[in-house]
Structures are given as C-alpha cells and as structure tokens.
Amino acid sequence: MEFSEALLKFQLNWPHFFAVFCLVVVVYKSSVFVLRKRDAQRNVEAFPGPKPSWLFGHVMQFKQDGTDLDKFVKWGEQYPYAFPTWFGPLACYLNIHHPDYAKTILVSSEPKCDLAYKFLGAWIGDGLLLSKGQKWFRHRRLLTPGFHYEVLKPYVTQMAESTKVMLNKWESFAKTNKTFELFEQVSLMTLDSIMKCAFSYNSNCQTKGGTNAYIKAVYELSHLNNFRFRTFPYHNDLIFYLSPHGFRYRKAARVAHSHTNEVIRKRKETLQEVNELSRIQAKRNLDFLDILLFARDEQQQGLSDEDIRAEVDTFMFEGHDTTASGISFALYCLACNPQHQKICRDEINEVLGGKDTMDWEDLSKIPYTTMCIKESLRLYPPVPGTARRITKPMTFFDGRTLPAGHVLFTKPDFFFFSPPTHLNVSKRSPHAFVPFAAGPRNCIGQNFAMNEMKVAIALTLKRYELIEDPTFKPKIITRLILRSLNGIHIKIKPVNPVE
C-alpha cells in the first residue's frame, strides 16, 4: 500500500520533477557555454579586432555580396599583424596578414583546422588535403613521384591541346566583339586538361553540349560547403544531414564520385595484366593515376581503394578548379592592364615565333608573363587563405602568444597590379607571397598549376587581345576557391598577325 501511494505521488509530481531536471540541465549547459565563451575571449584578448556580436560573432557582417574580402583588407589596416574573427559564439579564427606571423605557422607541421576542412570529407575523402599525421606523411611520400618534372614534361603538349580547343570556341566572341563570361569556359578547359594529363582520359567535355555535370556538381559542393561553414546549426552533422541543403550536398557528391569511379574503373581495366610501371612507360607516358595505382611504401604496401579514390577526388577538384580560378583572374588582370598585356605578348611572340603550341623548354623563357601571373595570384589567390589548428602554444615575433587549440587563418593583402613587385624577391620576406602555401604542407601540385597557367595565358595572348568591359566588375567571393559572384567578363579581338 505504501509503495502504491508513493508511486501515485511520484506520478502526480512527475511534471514538476521533469521541469526541475530540465532546468538543471539548461543551467548546467548554459554555464558551460558561458565559461567556454569567456575562455575563448580571454585567449585572444592580446589581439584586438572588430567588435563581434556576442552570439553571432561577425557572421552577420559578411553579406556574400562581393565586398567581404574588402572588409578583411580594411580590418587588416586597422589591426596590425593579426586580428580575430568570430563565426558564431565559440568558433574564433585569428586572421594573419603579416609575413613574419605567417612564417611562424607555415613552417610548422601543425595540422589543418578540422572545422574549416572537415565538411569536405564527405566529398573528397581523407586525401592529401585533409589527412594528417603519419597518414599524410606516407601519402605525400607516395604521391611525390607523380609530380616529378619527367612526369610533368609531356603534360605541356596536352595542356596546349586543351587550351587551343577553348580558344577555337572563342572565335565567335572575337568576331562579334561581345562581352562574355570566361570562368565557366576556363573551368571546362582545365577539367579537360587534367583528365588528359593526370588520367590519360579524353573527356571531350569542352565540345559536348550542355553544362558539364561534374563541374556543376563541384560548383554546388563548393557553395554548400561555404554555406555550411557560415551557418552555425549546420556544424552539427545530423542537422545538416536532415536539411534540404544536406540532401543537395549528398546528391552533388554522388555525381562527383560517379565521375571519379568511372575514371578509376576504366584505368584498372586497362592495367589488369600489367604489374610494372616500366611496361606502361614502354607504351606511353606515365601519368598521375599510374603512379597512384602502383605506389608502394617500404613494406611494399600500396594505397587502398578508398585512399586511391580520395586522392583522385582531391586532385580532380584541386587540379582543375583552383587552376581555373588562377587563369581566369590572370586573364582579367591583363585585360585591365593593356600596357602589361602588350609586353607579355611581345615576349611570347619572340619565344614561340610561328608556333601555335608550347613546349616544355618555352616555359622558362617568358619571365615577364610569369611575373604577371604571380602578380595576379597575389591579388586574386585561388585559395584565399589556409587554416591551421595549433596543438601547442605559439608565440609570435612581437611577443604575443596564442594558446593551443586555436585556429590561425592566413590571408593575403590586396593592392594594385604591379608585376615588377616580383623582380626583387630577395628584398622581401619569402612568406609575403605564398599562393601555394609554404612549409611542409605546401601545394604538391604547384608546378603543374604554374605550367598550365603559363601555357593557357601564353597561347591566349598570342591569339587574342583582351579588353576590359568596365560595366562588368567581378564581385569577389570565397567558395573554397576564389570566384566572382557575377562571373568574370572580358571582350576579345584577334591579334593582328603582323603585330
């Protein structure tokens, strides 16, 4: 009887007990949250910066209208060396914009930031971009032979072939003198090029009608990754998975993975009876995928199927999208600076003569064009920042220290177009210009990218004069890589053969 009465009393008071329990949980969680917020603020109090909202940080100040990078430049002028930016109440990044600060973090082996890069995992897997520790060291060592100059040399001819396909398509724009958007065209060209060079695969993506499904998927994945990063609730995997944006992300990832799987499948079929690279080399030039499939470590262990797909996905994305951004903005810069464009064209005509293609030996003979490419990379870096999470306290040259666990984000400064900046490199810090990052985690494909940029820009300038359209100014945004919200527009006209 007493038990029954106690049970009845508990049932009657259950709503009260539950309310008290919920209140205790809320108070506990709130206290933990407030303490974490206070600790986060204390950790960066040595670094003054723009005033954030207590809850939203600086998120509401970023409009995604093409002016956000201008804000960073303005803040960089106000706060020397570095300043914090907040994405939500707890996610704080220390933005570095001084070469001596950048050197401190770039020469270290600190891992890339989980928050900044982890959302990419469902798309490109745990390849070189996202892996860390021993796995990263092993993969970097196994993949490095794929970027040896002997492997890169034959690529120049294939890059030239892809560029000429694009330039042939541009004849209609040259005849009509109409403004056209070039980023999508260049993206198709760089995808065509990387498929030929790295995977010996003729996609014909430049001549097929309609929008390329893979490039469309890359655009969608880039946009959704950026949107997820800026939307605090989407940092939770379950919430994002159940959202409409999560559904779109998975759909686009399936398209990208299908493309990659097809490339790998066809190559494995071709190599079924081949067990040595030398046998392949006797028939054709080696490519990146050959080296990936035959890579072996000291224990003669190769890469798993999952690792191979991750590296192919990573190189497919980074090898075409970042290069497309670099080429597109370089062409735009040259259109806006006709005096530098003419110097480049004169140099290119002197080197190439009557040739309509480019050879490996020509790449080192166009120094002024190379300076213009580098200057464009300084003004419009395809990857506008790199994020690292420090595992131990880091002290900078001015004595300020950042505790372990914080994230540092290096960003460039933007000024006017001035190629001669790159003449006296001995007088500037080597960390003042790092378009491919620096230190142990620098870009493994930087020589591939620079070669393709030189080929594409040289052949374009030899054939067409680039003209700025002042009514179309790029609205710069970051979508994993640097893009323009309204595209990148120029006009072109044929170069006079006797010029």
Side-chain angles (χ1 to χ4, degrees), residues 421 423-430 432:
T421 302
L423 278 174
N424 300 316
V425 293
S426 60
K427 296 182 180 180
R428 76 177 183 205
S429 166

Side-chain angles (χ1 to χ4, degrees), residues 118-187:
K118 74 173 183 178
F119 302 145
L120 287 169
W123 170 19
I124 62 174
D126 200 19
L128 269 186
L129 181 64
L130 302 185
S131 59
K132 51 191 174 184
Q134 287 303 310
K135 181 173 184 178
W136 178 84
F137 281 110
R138 178 175 182 264
H139 282 216
R140 178 84 180 205
R141 188 170 63 253
L142 291 177
L143 267 61
T144 295
F147 299 92
H148 189 273
Y149 78 94
E150 287 293 345
V151 176
L152 296 179
K153 280 174 73 172
Y155 291 174
V156 174
T157 302
Q158 294 165 317
M159 291 170 178
E161 289 173 357
S162 294
T163 301
K164 286 191 285 185
V165 172
M166 179 184 73
L167 297 179
N168 288 339
K169 291 169 62 181
W170 286 10
E171 284 185 0
S172 59
F173 301 122
K175 291 175 182 176
T176 59
N177 197 36
K178 287 184 178 179
T179 299
F180 70 101
E181 201 287 313
L182 60 85
F183 191 95
E184 184 176 344
Q185 307 249 353
V186 175
S187 292

